[in-house]
Structures are given as structure tokens and as C-alpha cells.
Amino acid sequence: MHLIKATRHALAECESVEEIVAESWQVQALAGAIGSHLAAYGPQSVRSEALGLSEAGTQARRSGTGSGMRISESREARADRLSQIQDPKCALSDLSGLLAETGVALVLVAVTAREEGLYWQCIEAIDAADESEDRVSGILRRLEAHEHGPAA
């Protein structure tokens, strides 16, 4: 929860287009870290979907760092500090909101982008955020089903 709040704050504090795009990849890194954690330690019913989130976040992170948007060590370390998830449902709900906020920020950047390269970086980041948000929704559905047990 603390990492999600810190990431949300960092996104809100961005002062440049480059910072917004770089921070969007940090959101993906956090999504990947949460997915990895749940794939390893979460309920069995969510592990395969969580692995998909981990892979999506990791792929997006690689893509973002390869696109010319360098992520500072302090930002990179944020997702790497994830050690536990006390309330998976709450963390995933907050992550879903953060992914949506990231998508909105990226759309605003994309529609005002003057450079074609920046525009396509934004589109790629929007797609990554959407994919991660879909995977988070899937995990949340599985957690709900797990809590309520099999239907009678």
C-alpha cells in the first residue's frame, strides 16, 4: 500500500511530459512486482493470473526502459522494495485505480505530443496500463470467488 501511495504521489508531482512517461513505467514495474509476489505467495486460485500480471509488468518495464526514457535509480528501487502484501484485495484495488490514473495522464500527454516518437511511447504505455488493469481485474474476480467458495 505504501508503494502504491508513493507511486501515486510521484505521478501527481510530475512536472514534465518525460517524467509522466517515465513514471508510467514505474507503475508497470509496481504492477509486475505485485504480480510476482501474488504468483509466489498468493492463494493458489490467483497464481496463474498473477503470473500473467508479473509478466505484463516486466515486459512493459523492459519496453519503457528501452524506449529512451531512463528511470532513475531511486524510481527503479521503489517497486523493488516490495516485500509483502498484507491485504491483496485492497492493494489490487488501489493498483487498479493507479493504473487508470496513469492511463488518463498518458492520454493527456499523447493528445498534446508534438513529437511522433513521444506520441507512440504514450500509446505503448497506455496499452501496457490497460493490459495490466485487465489482469488486475481478473485477479480481483478470482479473489472474490475464492472468498465466497464454490457456488452451491
Side-chain angles (χ1 to χ4, degrees):
M1 297 299 293
H2 296 291
L3 292 174
I4 292 170
K5 288 178 184 175
T7 303
R8 178 174 275 124
H9 178 74
L11 182 63
E13 294 295 313
C14 289
E15 295 182 1
S16 71
V17 168
E18 291 79 12
E19 287 176 346
I20 292 170
V21 175
E23 198 57 45
S24 75
W25 295 117
Q26 286 307 306
V27 173
Q28 287 301 319
L30 184 55
I34 290 171
S36 292
H37 186 82
L38 290 175
Y41 305 109
Q44 190 66 36
S45 62
V46 303
R47 289 186 178 179
S48 65
E49 191 79 34
L51 185 59
L53 176 62
S54 172
E55 291 170 357
T58 300
Q59 178 63 32
R61 185 177 186 178
R62 280 191 204 120
S63 177
T65 56
S67 67
M69 295 312 245
R70 299 199 183 267
I71 299 170
S72 71
E73 288 182 25
S74 63
R75 287 186 180 180
E76 189 169 354
R78 193 181 316 131
D80 294 340
R81 292 191 309 249
L82 180 71
S83 61
Q84 66 177 334
I85 299 174
Q86 293 178 346
D87 184 345
K89 272 181 64 176
C90 188
L92 289 165
S93 293
D94 282 359
L95 178 60
S96 180
L98 179 59
L99 286 162
E101 291 169 26
T102 301
V104 169
L106 288 165
V107 166
L108 293 173
V109 170
V111 299
T112 61
R114 295 175 193 255
E115 298 173 23
E116 186 175 346
L118 178 59
Y119 171 80
W120 287 111
Q121 286 177 12
C122 290
I123 296 302
E124 186 178 349
I126 290 166
D127 288 346
D130 285 345
E131 180 180 352
S132 291
E133 195 169 357
D134 288 346
R135 292 185 182 273
V136 167
S137 294
I139 297 168
L140 283 168
R141 282 191 300 275
R142 288 186 184 266
L143 283 173
E144 285 287 328
H146 178 75
E147 282 181 0
H148 297 333

